[in-house]
Amino acid sequence: MGFGDLKSSAGLKLLNDFLADKSYIEGYVPSQADIAVFEVVGTPPPSELFHALRWYNHIKSYEKQKSSLPGVKKALGKYGPADVEDATGTGGDGKDDDDIDLFGSDEEEESEDAKRLREERLAQYESKKAKKPTLIAKSSLLLDVKPWDDETDMAKLEECVRSIQADGLVWGSSKLVPVGYGIKKLQIQCVVEDDKVGTDMLEEKITAFEDFVQSMDVAAFNKI
C-alpha cells in the first residue's frame, strides 16, 4: 500500500490516478491524511497531472488550519492504492501490523463522522439553494406605434395597445411624438419577462388592431 516515491514522476502519477475519482486521500472531508501526503509532495504537481494538482491546491488552502483537521497522521505508506509497494521504509514486522489494526478502528469511526458531516453539509446546501430566489430576466422596451394618418384616433389607439394583457407584461408611460404632416406616433414603454413575452408577440397583437395601427417598431431595448 502507498504511492511509492512521491518525489518521482511515477509516484506523482500514482497519486494523480488515485485522486481521479476522489476529492481527498481518505473520506469525504480534508483530514490529517491529506496533510501527511501534501507535506511529502511539497510542490505543485505538473499541470498534466490535473487531479493531483487540483487536490494539492485545495489542500494548500487549509495550511493555516491544518492542525485542526480531523484524523491522526499515519506513516505515508499507510495511504494510497493497496497494490503498490510501500517505498517509504516504514513497512515491517507484526508490531506494525498491530498498529495498523488500531488505526484501522479509529479510521472506521472517522469515516462515519466524515460521512455524517458531508450529509449535513449537503442538506444545508440544498436548503439554501431551495430558498434562493430564481433570477427572472427582464427587459425594458420602448415601442413606436404608427397610425395610418392624421385622422386616426390616437387615444383609442393607445387604449387598444394597453388592452393587451399577458403574464410578464407591464405597460409604462407613453407620449405622442410628431412624425410629420400632422401625424403623430404613439411612443409607449413596457417591461417584459424575457421567458414569457417577446417582441414578435407584441408586434402581432398590436398590429392586429389594423383599423388604427399601421406598424410597430422597437425603438429601444434594454436588459434590466
Side-chain angles (χ1 to χ4, degrees), residues 91-115:
D93 55 22
K95 183 177 180 181
D96 288 335
D97 291 338
D98 291 339
D99 289 341
I100 293 173
D101 290 337
L102 290 173
F103 281 124
S105 177
D106 291 340
E107 184 58 36
E108 184 177 348
E109 292 181 13
E110 185 61 41
S111 294
E112 289 299 319
D113 289 341
K115 181 178 179 181

Side-chain angles (χ1 to χ4, degrees), residues 27-208:
Y28 300 98
V29 295
S31 68
Q32 294 301 321
D34 294 285
I35 297 301
V37 177
F38 175 85
E39 289 176 346
V40 174
V41 173
T43 57
S47 58
E48 61 268 20
L49 302 179
F50 48 88
H51 298 303
L53 181 59
R54 176 257 308 159
W55 166 84
Y56 180 91
N57 290 331
H58 181 55
I59 300 305
K60 185 176 176 64
S61 68
Y62 287 92
E63 277 192 301
K64 291 184 178 179
Q65 62 256 48
K66 63 182 181 180
S67 61
S68 63
L69 294 180
V72 178
K73 277 188 184 179
K74 296 183 286 189
L76 190 64
K78 308 304 180 186
Y79 304 119
D83 58 347
V84 177
E85 182 181 353
D86 178 9
T88 62
T90 57
D93 55 22
K95 183 177 180 181
D96 288 335
D97 291 338
D98 291 339
D99 289 341
I100 293 173
D101 290 337
L102 290 173
F103 281 124
S105 177
D106 291 340
E107 184 58 36
E108 184 177 348
E109 292 181 13
E110 185 61 41
S111 294
E112 289 299 319
D113 289 341
K115 181 178 179 181
R116 177 180 54 77
L117 180 61
R118 178 176 65 89
E119 290 175 350
E120 289 177 357
R121 288 179 175 175
L122 283 173
Q124 291 173 0
Y125 171 76
E126 291 297 334
S127 177
K128 288 180 180 179
K129 185 177 179 181
K131 293 177 181 178
K132 186 176 181 180
T134 303
L135 180 64
I136 299 175
K138 295 182 179 181
S139 299
S140 173
L141 307 180
L142 181 63
L143 307 179
D144 281 347
V145 185
K146 296 177 182 177
W148 288 106
D149 51 38
D150 60 343
E151 295 182 359
T152 301
D153 186 341
M154 297 303 292
K156 183 63 178 177
L157 184 150
E158 180 175 352
E159 181 183 332
C160 290
V161 171
R162 290 186 181 274
S163 71
I164 300 170
Q165 300 294 318
D167 185 25
L169 170 64
V170 179
W171 293 107
S173 61
S174 64
K175 64 180 179 179
L176 298 178
V177 180
V179 294
Y181 302 102
I183 301 174
K184 295 181 179 179
K185 66 181 178 182
L186 173 68
Q187 200 167 73
I188 185 167
Q189 292 181 322
C190 65
V191 173
V192 300
E193 293 183 20
D194 297 346
D195 290 340
K196 297 179 180 178
V197 180
T199 56
D200 290 343
M201 183 270 275
L202 288 174
E203 182 176 12
E204 180 182 349
K205 288 185 175 293
I206 290 174
T207 54

